[in-house]
PDB file of all heavy atoms in Angstrom:
ATOM      1  N   SER A   1       0.830  -1.204   0.000  1.00  0.00           N
ATOM      2  CA  SER A   1       0.000   0.000   0.000  1.00  0.00           C
ATOM      3  C   SER A   1       0.861   1.250   0.000  1.00  0.00           C
ATOM      4  O   SER A   1       2.087   1.189   0.127  1.00  0.00           O
ATOM      5  CB  SER A   1      -0.922   0.002   1.222  1.00  0.00           C
ATOM      6  OG  SER A   1      -0.163   0.119   2.411  1.00  0.00           O
ATOM      7  N   ARG A   2       0.221   2.410  -0.133  1.00  0.00           N
ATOM      8  CA  ARG A   2       0.964   3.669  -0.157  1.00  0.00           C
ATOM      9  C   ARG A   2       1.617   3.961   1.192  1.00  0.00           C
ATOM     10  O   ARG A   2       2.655   4.609   1.258  1.00  0.00           O
ATOM     11  CB  ARG A   2       0.009   4.812  -0.521  1.00  0.00           C
ATOM     12  CG  ARG A   2      -0.543   4.726  -1.948  1.00  0.00           C
ATOM     13  CD  ARG A   2      -1.473   5.883  -2.236  1.00  0.00           C
ATOM     14  NE  ARG A   2      -0.795   7.164  -2.050  1.00  0.00           N
ATOM     15  CZ  ARG A   2      -1.423   8.339  -2.139  1.00  0.00           C
ATOM     16  NH1 ARG A   2      -2.735   8.379  -2.366  1.00  0.00           N
ATOM     17  NH2 ARG A   2      -0.743   9.469  -1.974  1.00  0.00           N
ATOM     18  N   GLU A   3       1.010   3.484   2.278  1.00  0.00           N
ATOM     19  CA  GLU A   3       1.577   3.736   3.606  1.00  0.00           C
ATOM     20  C   GLU A   3       2.927   3.065   3.783  1.00  0.00           C
ATOM     21  O   GLU A   3       3.713   3.467   4.652  1.00  0.00           O
ATOM     22  CB  GLU A   3       0.615   3.253   4.690  1.00  0.00           C
ATOM     23  CG  GLU A   3      -0.648   4.090   4.854  1.00  0.00           C
ATOM     24  CD  GLU A   3      -1.695   3.778   3.802  1.00  0.00           C
ATOM     25  OE1 GLU A   3      -1.482   2.813   3.025  1.00  0.00           O
ATOM     26  OE2 GLU A   3      -2.716   4.500   3.746  1.00  0.00           O
ATOM     27  N   ALA A   4       3.227   2.035   2.996  1.00  0.00           N
ATOM     28  CA  ALA A   4       4.499   1.331   3.139  1.00  0.00           C
ATOM     29  C   ALA A   4       5.683   2.255   2.893  1.00  0.00           C
ATOM     30  O   ALA A   4       6.748   2.072   3.487  1.00  0.00           O
ATOM     31  CB  ALA A   4       4.548   0.140   2.181  1.00  0.00           C
ATOM     32  N   ALA A   5       5.515   3.258   2.017  1.00  0.00           N
ATOM     33  CA  ALA A   5       6.600   4.209   1.764  1.00  0.00           C
ATOM     34  C   ALA A   5       6.910   5.029   3.017  1.00  0.00           C
ATOM     35  O   ALA A   5       8.077   5.284   3.332  1.00  0.00           O
ATOM     36  CB  ALA A   5       6.225   5.123   0.603  1.00  0.00           C
ATOM     37  N   GLU A   6       5.875   5.463   3.751  1.00  0.00           N
ATOM     38  CA  GLU A   6       6.095   6.196   4.999  1.00  0.00           C
ATOM     39  C   GLU A   6       6.796   5.314   6.026  1.00  0.00           C
ATOM     40  O   GLU A   6       7.665   5.780   6.780  1.00  0.00           O
ATOM     41  CB  GLU A   6       4.769   6.687   5.552  1.00  0.00           C
ATOM     42  CG  GLU A   6       4.046   7.690   4.672  1.00  0.00           C
ATOM     43  CD  GLU A   6       2.726   8.119   5.265  1.00  0.00           C
ATOM     44  OE1 GLU A   6       2.346   7.555   6.326  1.00  0.00           O
ATOM     45  OE2 GLU A   6       2.077   9.006   4.693  1.00  0.00           O
ATOM     46  N   ASP A   7       6.427   4.043   6.078  1.00  0.00           N
ATOM     47  CA  ASP A   7       7.065   3.123   7.015  1.00  0.00           C
ATOM     48  C   ASP A   7       8.530   2.920   6.673  1.00  0.00           C
ATOM     49  O   ASP A   7       9.367   2.765   7.566  1.00  0.00           O
ATOM     50  CB  ASP A   7       6.320   1.787   7.014  1.00  0.00           C
ATOM     51  CG  ASP A   7       4.868   1.933   7.440  1.00  0.00           C
ATOM     52  OD1 ASP A   7       4.613   2.744   8.346  1.00  0.00           O
ATOM     53  OD2 ASP A   7       4.006   1.260   6.864  1.00  0.00           O
ATOM     54  N   GLN A   8       8.865   2.921   5.381  1.00  0.00           N
ATOM     55  CA  GLN A   8      10.263   2.808   4.977  1.00  0.00           C
ATOM     56  C   GLN A   8      11.069   3.995   5.502  1.00  0.00           C
ATOM     57  O   GLN A   8      12.207   3.828   5.943  1.00  0.00           O
ATOM     58  CB  GLN A   8      10.377   2.746   3.459  1.00  0.00           C
ATOM     59  CG  GLN A   8      11.834   2.651   2.972  1.00  0.00           C
ATOM     60  CD  GLN A   8      11.948   2.606   1.457  1.00  0.00           C
ATOM     61  OE1 GLN A   8      10.971   2.300   0.756  1.00  0.00           O
ATOM     62  NE2 GLN A   8      13.121   2.921   0.937  1.00  0.00           N
ATOM     63  N   GLN A   9      10.476   5.188   5.486  1.00  0.00           N
ATOM     64  CA  GLN A   9      11.166   6.362   6.010  1.00  0.00           C
ATOM     65  C   GLN A   9      11.427   6.203   7.512  1.00  0.00           C
ATOM     66  O   GLN A   9      12.518   6.539   8.006  1.00  0.00           O
ATOM     67  CB  GLN A   9      10.317   7.620   5.770  1.00  0.00           C
ATOM     68  CG  GLN A   9       9.917   7.854   4.329  1.00  0.00           C
ATOM     69  CD  GLN A   9      11.104   8.089   3.431  1.00  0.00           C
ATOM     70  OE1 GLN A   9      11.956   8.925   3.715  1.00  0.00           O
ATOM     71  NE2 GLN A   9      11.181   7.348   2.339  1.00  0.00           N
ATOM     72  N   LEU A  10      10.437   5.689   8.240  1.00  0.00           N
ATOM     73  CA  LEU A  10      10.619   5.461   9.670  1.00  0.00           C
ATOM     74  C   LEU A  10      11.739   4.462   9.926  1.00  0.00           C
ATOM     75  O   LEU A  10      12.599   4.677  10.797  1.00  0.00           O
ATOM     76  CB  LEU A  10       9.325   4.932  10.301  1.00  0.00           C
ATOM     77  CG  LEU A  10       8.264   5.915  10.780  1.00  0.00           C
ATOM     78  CD1 LEU A  10       7.126   5.159  11.435  1.00  0.00           C
ATOM     79  CD2 LEU A  10       8.846   6.937  11.734  1.00  0.00           C
ATOM     80  N   VAL A  11      11.734   3.367   9.172  1.00  0.00           N
ATOM     81  CA  VAL A  11      12.735   2.317   9.360  1.00  0.00           C
ATOM     82  C   VAL A  11      14.133   2.860   9.080  1.00  0.00           C
ATOM     83  O   VAL A  11      15.069   2.656   9.872  1.00  0.00           O
ATOM     84  CB  VAL A  11      12.427   1.109   8.447  1.00  0.00           C
ATOM     85  CG1 VAL A  11      13.607   0.141   8.423  1.00  0.00           C
ATOM     86  CG2 VAL A  11      11.169   0.399   8.924  1.00  0.00           C
ATOM     87  N   ALA A  12      14.283   3.568   7.968  1.00  0.00           N
ATOM     88  CA  ALA A  12      15.608   4.072   7.590  1.00  0.00           C
ATOM     89  C   ALA A  12      16.134   5.077   8.610  1.00  0.00           C
ATOM     90  O   ALA A  12      17.293   5.000   9.040  1.00  0.00           O
ATOM     91  CB  ALA A  12      15.536   4.698   6.201  1.00  0.00           C
ATOM     92  N   ALA A  13      15.292   6.035   9.004  1.00  0.00           N
ATOM     93  CA  ALA A  13      15.733   7.056   9.949  1.00  0.00           C
ATOM     94  C   ALA A  13      16.045   6.453  11.317  1.00  0.00           C
ATOM     95  O   ALA A  13      17.054   6.797  11.955  1.00  0.00           O
ATOM     96  CB  ALA A  13      14.665   8.142  10.075  1.00  0.00           C
ATOM     97  N   ALA A  14      15.184   5.534  11.777  1.00  0.00           N
ATOM     98  CA  ALA A  14      15.400   4.927  13.096  1.00  0.00           C
ATOM     99  C   ALA A  14      16.652   4.067  13.109  1.00  0.00           C
ATOM    100  O   ALA A  14      17.429   4.098  14.080  1.00  0.00           O
ATOM    101  CB  ALA A  14      14.180   4.098  13.486  1.00  0.00           C
ATOM    102  N   LEU A  15      16.877   3.297  12.051  1.00  0.00           N
ATOM    103  CA  LEU A  15      18.072   2.457  12.005  1.00  0.00           C
ATOM    104  C   LEU A  15      19.333   3.310  11.966  1.00  0.00           C
ATOM    105  O   LEU A  15      20.327   2.995  12.640  1.00  0.00           O
ATOM    106  CB  LEU A  15      18.018   1.535  10.784  1.00  0.00           C
ATOM    107  CG  LEU A  15      19.208   0.592  10.610  1.00  0.00           C
ATOM    108  CD1 LEU A  15      19.366  -0.317  11.824  1.00  0.00           C
ATOM    109  CD2 LEU A  15      19.062  -0.235   9.339  1.00  0.00           C
ATOM    110  N   ALA A  16      19.303   4.387  11.190  1.00  0.00           N
ATOM    111  CA  ALA A  16      20.464   5.279  11.136  1.00  0.00           C
ATOM    112  C   ALA A  16      20.765   5.863  12.513  1.00  0.00           C
ATOM    113  O   ALA A  16      21.925   5.912  12.949  1.00  0.00           O
ATOM    114  CB  ALA A  16      20.215   6.394  10.122  1.00  0.00           C
ATOM    115  N   LEU A  17      19.719   6.286  13.239  1.00  0.00           N
ATOM    116  CA  LEU A  17      19.920   6.843  14.574  1.00  0.00           C
ATOM    117  C   LEU A  17      20.457   5.791  15.538  1.00  0.00           C
ATOM    118  O   LEU A  17      21.356   6.077  16.351  1.00  0.00           O
ATOM    119  CB  LEU A  17      18.599   7.415  15.102  1.00  0.00           C
ATOM    120  CG  LEU A  17      18.638   8.005  16.519  1.00  0.00           C
ATOM    121  CD1 LEU A  17      19.643   9.133  16.612  1.00  0.00           C
ATOM    122  CD2 LEU A  17      17.241   8.490  16.931  1.00  0.00           C
ATOM    123  N   ALA A  18      19.938   4.570  15.463  1.00  0.00           N
ATOM    124  CA  ALA A  18      20.419   3.505  16.346  1.00  0.00           C
ATOM    125  C   ALA A  18      21.893   3.215  16.109  1.00  0.00           C
ATOM    126  O   ALA A  18      22.674   3.085  17.065  1.00  0.00           O
ATOM    127  CB  ALA A  18      19.586   2.237  16.135  1.00  0.00           C
ATOM    128  N   LEU A  19      22.306   3.119  14.846  1.00  0.00           N
ATOM    129  CA  LEU A  19      23.714   2.827  14.536  1.00  0.00           C
ATOM    130  C   LEU A  19      24.618   3.998  14.907  1.00  0.00           C
ATOM    131  O   LEU A  19      25.744   3.788  15.391  1.00  0.00           O
ATOM    132  CB  LEU A  19      23.853   2.478  13.057  1.00  0.00           C
ATOM    133  CG  LEU A  19      23.153   1.184  12.615  1.00  0.00           C
ATOM    134  CD1 LEU A  19      23.309   0.971  11.116  1.00  0.00           C
ATOM    135  CD2 LEU A  19      23.695  -0.023  13.376  1.00  0.00           C
ATOM    136  N   LEU A  20      24.152   5.221  14.689  1.00  0.00           N
ATOM    137  CA  LEU A  20      24.949   6.389  15.090  1.00  0.00           C
ATOM    138  C   LEU A  20      25.141   6.424  16.599  1.00  0.00           C
ATOM    139  O   LEU A  20      26.228   6.745  17.089  1.00  0.00           O
ATOM    140  CB  LEU A  20      24.273   7.676  14.620  1.00  0.00           C
ATOM    141  CG  LEU A  20      24.466   8.058  13.153  1.00  0.00           C
ATOM    142  CD1 LEU A  20      23.626   9.282  12.806  1.00  0.00           C
ATOM    143  CD2 LEU A  20      25.942   8.329  12.851  1.00  0.00           C
ATOM    144  N   THR A  21      24.087   6.084  17.336  1.00  0.00           N
ATOM    145  CA  THR A  21      24.197   6.069  18.795  1.00  0.00           C
ATOM    146  C   THR A  21      25.154   4.984  19.261  1.00  0.00           C
ATOM    147  O   THR A  21      25.965   5.201  20.183  1.00  0.00           O
ATOM    148  CB  THR A  21      22.817   5.861  19.432  1.00  0.00           C
ATOM    149  OG1 THR A  21      21.916   6.838  18.937  1.00  0.00           O
ATOM    150  CG2 THR A  21      22.907   5.987  20.938  1.00  0.00           C
ATOM    151  N   LEU A  22      25.098   3.818  18.641  1.00  0.00           N
ATOM    152  CA  LEU A  22      26.040   2.757  18.988  1.00  0.00           C
ATOM    153  C   LEU A  22      27.469   3.176  18.671  1.00  0.00           C
ATOM    154  O   LEU A  22      28.406   2.839  19.413  1.00  0.00           O
ATOM    155  CB  LEU A  22      25.682   1.482  18.233  1.00  0.00           C
ATOM    156  CG  LEU A  22      24.438   0.729  18.734  1.00  0.00           C
ATOM    157  CD1 LEU A  22      24.102  -0.421  17.785  1.00  0.00           C
ATOM    158  CD2 LEU A  22      24.647   0.202  20.145  1.00  0.00           C
ATOM    159  N   ALA A  23      27.652   3.919  17.570  1.00  0.00           N
ATOM    160  CA  ALA A  23      28.986   4.426  17.242  1.00  0.00           C
ATOM    161  C   ALA A  23      29.466   5.398  18.318  1.00  0.00           C
ATOM    162  O   ALA A  23      30.638   5.372  18.721  1.00  0.00           O
ATOM    163  CB  ALA A  23      28.963   5.112  15.876  1.00  0.00           C
ATOM    164  N   PHE A  24      28.557   6.246  18.792  1.00  0.00           N
ATOM    165  CA  PHE A  24      28.920   7.179  19.857  1.00  0.00           C
ATOM    166  C   PHE A  24      29.297   6.433  21.138  1.00  0.00           C
ATOM    167  O   PHE A  24      30.294   6.776  21.803  1.00  0.00           O
ATOM    168  CB  PHE A  24      27.766   8.134  20.131  1.00  0.00           C
ATOM    169  CG  PHE A  24      27.961   8.985  21.351  1.00  0.00           C
ATOM    170  CD1 PHE A  24      28.810  10.083  21.320  1.00  0.00           C
ATOM    171  CD2 PHE A  24      27.317   8.673  22.544  1.00  0.00           C
ATOM    172  CE1 PHE A  24      29.007  10.863  22.453  1.00  0.00           C
ATOM    173  CE2 PHE A  24      27.511   9.441  23.672  1.00  0.00           C
ATOM    174  CZ  PHE A  24      28.354  10.538  23.631  1.00  0.00           C
ATOM    175  N   LEU A  25      28.514   5.434  21.504  1.00  0.00           N
ATOM    176  CA  LEU A  25      28.818   4.666  22.713  1.00  0.00           C
ATOM    177  C   LEU A  25      30.147   3.942  22.579  1.00  0.00           C
ATOM    178  O   LEU A  25      30.911   3.824  23.552  1.00  0.00           O
ATOM    179  CB  LEU A  25      27.688   3.674  22.997  1.00  0.00           C
ATOM    180  CG  LEU A  25      26.329   4.279  23.375  1.00  0.00           C
ATOM    181  CD1 LEU A  25      25.264   3.193  23.480  1.00  0.00           C
ATOM    182  CD2 LEU A  25      26.427   5.059  24.684  1.00  0.00           C
ATOM    183  N   ARG A  26      30.438   3.433  21.381  1.00  0.00           N
ATOM    184  CA  ARG A  26      31.722   2.767  21.138  1.00  0.00           C
ATOM    185  C   ARG A  26      32.865   3.769  21.299  1.00  0.00           C
ATOM    186  O   ARG A  26      33.864   3.483  21.952  1.00  0.00           O
ATOM    187  CB  ARG A  26      31.713   2.181  19.723  1.00  0.00           C
ATOM    188  CG  ARG A  26      32.996   1.456  19.317  1.00  0.00           C
ATOM    189  CD  ARG A  26      33.021   0.056  19.876  1.00  0.00           C
ATOM    190  NE  ARG A  26      34.136  -0.717  19.350  1.00  0.00           N
ATOM    191  CZ  ARG A  26      34.219  -2.033  19.424  1.00  0.00           C
ATOM    192  NH1 ARG A  26      33.258  -2.724  20.001  1.00  0.00           N
ATOM    193  NH2 ARG A  26      35.266  -2.677  18.952  1.00  0.00           N
ATOM    194  N   TRP A  27      32.715   4.933  20.676  1.00  0.00           N
ATOM    195  CA  TRP A  27      33.749   5.971  20.782  1.00  0.00           C
ATOM    196  C   TRP A  27      33.948   6.403  22.234  1.00  0.00           C
ATOM    197  O   TRP A  27      35.084   6.612  22.681  1.00  0.00           O
ATOM    198  CB  TRP A  27      33.348   7.170  19.934  1.00  0.00           C
ATOM    199  CG  TRP A  27      34.220   8.369  20.149  1.00  0.00           C
ATOM    200  CD1 TRP A  27      35.449   8.613  19.598  1.00  0.00           C
ATOM    201  CD2 TRP A  27      33.944   9.490  20.997  1.00  0.00           C
ATOM    202  NE1 TRP A  27      35.945   9.816  20.054  1.00  0.00           N
ATOM    203  CE2 TRP A  27      35.036  10.368  20.910  1.00  0.00           C
ATOM    204  CE3 TRP A  27      32.866   9.835  21.818  1.00  0.00           C
ATOM    205  CZ2 TRP A  27      35.091  11.578  21.601  1.00  0.00           C
ATOM    206  CZ3 TRP A  27      32.919  11.031  22.514  1.00  0.00           C
ATOM    207  CH2 TRP A  27      34.009  11.887  22.405  1.00  0.00           C
ATOM    208  N   ASN A  28      32.858   6.511  22.985  1.00  0.00           N
ATOM    209  CA  ASN A  28      32.960   6.932  24.379  1.00  0.00           C
ATOM    210  C   ASN A  28      33.730   5.910  25.203  1.00  0.00           C
ATOM    211  O   ASN A  28      34.534   6.278  26.081  1.00  0.00           O
ATOM    212  CB  ASN A  28      31.560   7.122  24.955  1.00  0.00           C
ATOM    213  CG  ASN A  28      31.552   7.831  26.285  1.00  0.00           C
ATOM    214  OD1 ASN A  28      32.178   8.884  26.435  1.00  0.00           O
ATOM    215  ND2 ASN A  28      30.852   7.280  27.257  1.00  0.00           N
ATOM    216  N   SER A  29      33.532   4.620  24.928  1.00  0.00           N
ATOM    217  CA  SER A  29      34.291   3.589  25.638  1.00  0.00           C
ATOM    218  C   SER A  29      35.765   3.639  25.270  1.00  0.00           C
ATOM    219  O   SER A  29      36.642   3.496  26.135  1.00  0.00           O
ATOM    220  CB  SER A  29      33.717   2.203  25.326  1.00  0.00           C
ATOM    221  OG  SER A  29      32.444   2.043  25.895  1.00  0.00           O
ATOM    222  N   LEU A  30      36.056   3.842  23.991  1.00  0.00           N
ATOM    223  CA  LEU A  30      37.448   3.962  23.572  1.00  0.00           C
ATOM    224  C   LEU A  30      38.102   5.175  24.224  1.00  0.00           C
ATOM    225  O   LEU A  30      39.272   5.130  24.617  1.00  0.00           O
ATOM    226  CB  LEU A  30      37.532   4.075  22.047  1.00  0.00           C
ATOM    227  CG  LEU A  30      37.174   2.821  21.241  1.00  0.00           C
ATOM    228  CD1 LEU A  30      37.065   3.162  19.762  1.00  0.00           C
ATOM    229  CD2 LEU A  30      38.213   1.736  21.447  1.00  0.00           C
ATOM    230  N   ARG A  31      37.351   6.257  24.331  1.00  0.00           N
ATOM    231  CA  ARG A  31      37.898   7.496  24.897  1.00  0.00           C
ATOM    232  C   ARG A  31      38.260   7.330  26.362  1.00  0.00           C
ATOM    233  O   ARG A  31      39.218   7.951  26.848  1.00  0.00           O
ATOM    234  CB  ARG A  31      36.855   8.607  24.740  1.00  0.00           C
ATOM    235  CG  ARG A  31      37.310   9.982  25.141  1.00  0.00           C
ATOM    236  CD  ARG A  31      36.301  11.013  24.669  1.00  0.00           C
ATOM    237  NE  ARG A  31      35.017  10.814  25.321  1.00  0.00           N
ATOM    238  CZ  ARG A  31      34.554  11.614  26.292  1.00  0.00           C
ATOM    239  NH1 ARG A  31      35.298  12.626  26.722  1.00  0.00           N
ATOM    240  NH2 ARG A  31      33.377  11.408  26.816  1.00  0.00           N
ATOM    241  N   VAL A  32      37.509   6.496  27.089  1.00  0.00           N
ATOM    242  CA  VAL A  32      37.791   6.274  28.510  1.00  0.00           C
ATOM    243  C   VAL A  32      39.184   5.692  28.702  1.00  0.00           C
ATOM    244  O   VAL A  32      39.870   5.989  29.685  1.00  0.00           O
ATOM    245  CB  VAL A  32      36.729   5.338  29.124  1.00  0.00           C
ATOM    246  CG1 VAL A  32      37.143   4.872  30.511  1.00  0.00           C
ATOM    247  CG2 VAL A  32      35.387   6.053  29.191  1.00  0.00           C
ATOM    248  N   THR A  33      39.636   4.867  27.748  1.00  0.00           N
ATOM    249  CA  THR A  33      40.952   4.245  27.874  1.00  0.00           C
ATOM    250  C   THR A  33      42.093   5.212  27.591  1.00  0.00           C
ATOM    251  O   THR A  33      43.251   4.881  27.845  1.00  0.00           O
ATOM    252  CB  THR A  33      41.079   3.063  26.894  1.00  0.00           C
ATOM    253  OG1 THR A  33      41.117   3.561  25.554  1.00  0.00           O
ATOM    254  CG2 THR A  33      39.912   2.109  27.052  1.00  0.00           C
ATOM    255  N   ARG A  34      41.752   6.397  27.050  1.00  0.00           N
ATOM    256  CA  ARG A  34      42.752   7.389  26.632  1.00  0.00           C
ATOM    257  C   ARG A  34      43.688   6.848  25.565  1.00  0.00           C
ATOM    258  O   ARG A  34      44.795   7.341  25.374  1.00  0.00           O
ATOM    259  CB  ARG A  34      43.550   7.904  27.828  1.00  0.00           C
ATOM    260  CG  ARG A  34      42.710   8.724  28.796  1.00  0.00           C
ATOM    261  CD  ARG A  34      43.555   9.334  29.890  1.00  0.00           C
ATOM    262  NE  ARG A  34      42.720  10.131  30.782  1.00  0.00           N
ATOM    263  CZ  ARG A  34      43.182  10.731  31.882  1.00  0.00           C
ATOM    264  NH1 ARG A  34      44.443  10.620  32.216  1.00  0.00           N
ATOM    265  NH2 ARG A  34      42.366  11.438  32.640  1.00  0.00           N
ATOM    266  N   ARG A  35      43.252   5.802  24.895  1.00  0.00           N
ATOM    267  CA  ARG A  35      43.979   5.247  23.760  1.00  0.00           C
ATOM    268  C   ARG A  35      42.965   4.891  22.693  1.00  0.00           C
ATOM    269  O   ARG A  35      41.904   4.357  22.997  1.00  0.00           O
ATOM    270  CB  ARG A  35      44.757   3.989  24.149  1.00  0.00           C
ATOM    271  CG  ARG A  35      45.734   4.206  25.286  1.00  0.00           C
ATOM    272  CD  ARG A  35      46.559   2.970  25.530  1.00  0.00           C
ATOM    273  NE  ARG A  35      47.424   3.152  26.678  1.00  0.00           N
ATOM    274  CZ  ARG A  35      48.396   2.315  27.013  1.00  0.00           C
ATOM    275  NH1 ARG A  35      48.615   1.246  26.280  1.00  0.00           N
ATOM    276  NH2 ARG A  35      49.136   2.535  28.077  1.00  0.00           N
ATOM    277  N   PHE A  36      43.262   5.223  21.467  1.00  0.00           N
ATOM    278  CA  PHE A  36      42.366   4.887  20.374  1.00  0.00           C
ATOM    279  C   PHE A  36      42.915   3.663  19.659  1.00  0.00           C
ATOM    280  O   PHE A  36      43.955   3.707  19.026  1.00  0.00           O
ATOM    281  CB  PHE A  36      42.207   6.066  19.423  1.00  0.00           C
ATOM    282  CG  PHE A  36      41.395   7.186  20.005  1.00  0.00           C
ATOM    283  CD1 PHE A  36      41.998   8.180  20.751  1.00  0.00           C
ATOM    284  CD2 PHE A  36      40.034   7.226  19.835  1.00  0.00           C
ATOM    285  CE1 PHE A  36      41.264   9.203  21.310  1.00  0.00           C
ATOM    286  CE2 PHE A  36      39.279   8.251  20.384  1.00  0.00           C
ATOM    287  CZ  PHE A  36      39.901   9.243  21.130  1.00  0.00           C
ATOM    288  N   PHE A  37      42.215   2.577  19.808  1.00  0.00           N
ATOM    289  CA  PHE A  37      42.641   1.334  19.203  1.00  0.00           C
ATOM    290  C   PHE A  37      42.471   1.416  17.676  1.00  0.00           C
ATOM    291  O   PHE A  37      41.690   2.214  17.180  1.00  0.00           O
ATOM    292  CB  PHE A  37      41.780   0.175  19.716  1.00  0.00           C
ATOM    293  CG  PHE A  37      41.802   0.002  21.204  1.00  0.00           C
ATOM    294  CD1 PHE A  37      41.043   0.831  22.014  1.00  0.00           C
ATOM    295  CD2 PHE A  37      42.565  -0.985  21.794  1.00  0.00           C
ATOM    296  CE1 PHE A  37      41.041   0.666  23.385  1.00  0.00           C
ATOM    297  CE2 PHE A  37      42.560  -1.160  23.165  1.00  0.00           C
ATOM    298  CZ  PHE A  37      41.802  -0.327  23.965  1.00  0.00           C
ATOM    299  N   PRO A  38      43.155   0.589  16.926  1.00  0.00           N
ATOM    300  CA  PRO A  38      42.848   0.478  15.487  1.00  0.00           C
ATOM    301  C   PRO A  38      41.523  -0.267  15.316  1.00  0.00           C
ATOM    302  O   PRO A  38      41.484  -1.438  14.942  1.00  0.00           O
ATOM    303  CB  PRO A  38      44.036  -0.319  14.941  1.00  0.00           C
ATOM    304  CG  PRO A  38      44.538  -1.117  16.100  1.00  0.00           C
ATOM    305  CD  PRO A  38      44.295  -0.263  17.320  1.00  0.00           C
ATOM    306  N   ASP A  39      40.447   0.433  15.641  1.00  0.00           N
ATOM    307  CA  ASP A  39      39.116  -0.175  15.764  1.00  0.00           C
ATOM    308  C   ASP A  39      38.423  -0.198  14.406  1.00  0.00           C
ATOM    309  O   ASP A  39      38.386   0.812  13.713  1.00  0.00           O
ATOM    310  CB  ASP A  39      38.301   0.657  16.760  1.00  0.00           C
ATOM    311  CG  ASP A  39      36.924   0.082  17.008  1.00  0.00           C
ATOM    312  OD1 ASP A  39      36.829  -1.143  17.136  1.00  0.00           O
ATOM    313  OD2 ASP A  39      35.967   0.856  17.073  1.00  0.00           O
ATOM    314  N   ARG A  40      37.858  -1.345  14.032  1.00  0.00           N
ATOM    315  CA  ARG A  40      37.107  -1.403  12.775  1.00  0.00           C
ATOM    316  C   ARG A  40      35.607  -1.378  13.019  1.00  0.00           C
ATOM    317  O   ARG A  40      34.836  -1.226  12.076  1.00  0.00           O
ATOM    318  CB  ARG A  40      37.493  -2.657  11.989  1.00  0.00           C
ATOM    319  CG  ARG A  40      37.098  -3.981  12.612  1.00  0.00           C
ATOM    320  CD  ARG A  40      37.641  -5.135  11.802  1.00  0.00           C
ATOM    321  NE  ARG A  40      37.210  -6.432  12.307  1.00  0.00           N
ATOM    322  CZ  ARG A  40      37.991  -7.504  12.342  1.00  0.00           C
ATOM    323  NH1 ARG A  40      39.240  -7.421  11.917  1.00  0.00           N
ATOM    324  NH2 ARG A  40      37.517  -8.660  12.795  1.00  0.00           N
ATOM    325  N   SER A  41      35.186  -1.517  14.263  1.00  0.00           N
ATOM    326  CA  SER A  41      33.754  -1.499  14.566  1.00  0.00           C
ATOM    327  C   SER A  41      33.172  -0.103  14.419  1.00  0.00           C
ATOM    328  O   SER A  41      32.057   0.062  13.899  1.00  0.00           O
ATOM    329  CB  SER A  41      33.512  -2.010  15.988  1.00  0.00           C
ATOM    330  OG  SER A  41      33.940  -3.338  16.129  1.00  0.00           O
ATOM    331  N   LEU A  42      33.905   0.909  14.871  1.00  0.00           N
ATOM    332  CA  LEU A  42      33.412   2.278  14.783  1.00  0.00           C
ATOM    333  C   LEU A  42      33.178   2.703  13.330  1.00  0.00           C
ATOM    334  O   LEU A  42      32.093   3.210  13.004  1.00  0.00           O
ATOM    335  CB  LEU A  42      34.374   3.231  15.497  1.00  0.00           C
ATOM    336  CG  LEU A  42      33.957   4.699  15.582  1.00  0.00           C
ATOM    337  CD1 LEU A  42      32.611   4.834  16.269  1.00  0.00           C
ATOM    338  CD2 LEU A  42      35.019   5.499  16.336  1.00  0.00           C
TER     339      LEU A  42
END
């Protein structure tokens, strides 16, 4: 249906925000060590 396009926008925006937040949490943990690892997860 036409509503599926609106749901796609919700999914894309929410997933992007979730991954960005996880990236921030990862960076914050790395920052606590005062050393930046050669991290591939970030």
Side-chain angles (χ1 to χ4, degrees):
S1 66
R2 294 180 58 185
E3 289 79 7
E6 296 179 355
D7 299 322
Q8 179 181 341
Q9 305 297 309
L10 274 183
V11 168
L15 180 59
L17 178 59
L19 295 178
L20 280 174
T21 306
L22 286 173
F24 171 77
L25 294 174
R26 180 81 172 196
W27 170 81
N28 192 50
S29 291
L30 291 170
R31 186 168 64 106
V32 169
T33 69
R34 293 186 179 176
R35 303 185 184 190
F36 288 88
F37 302 79
D39 182 42
R40 67 185 184 219
S41 298
L42 184 57

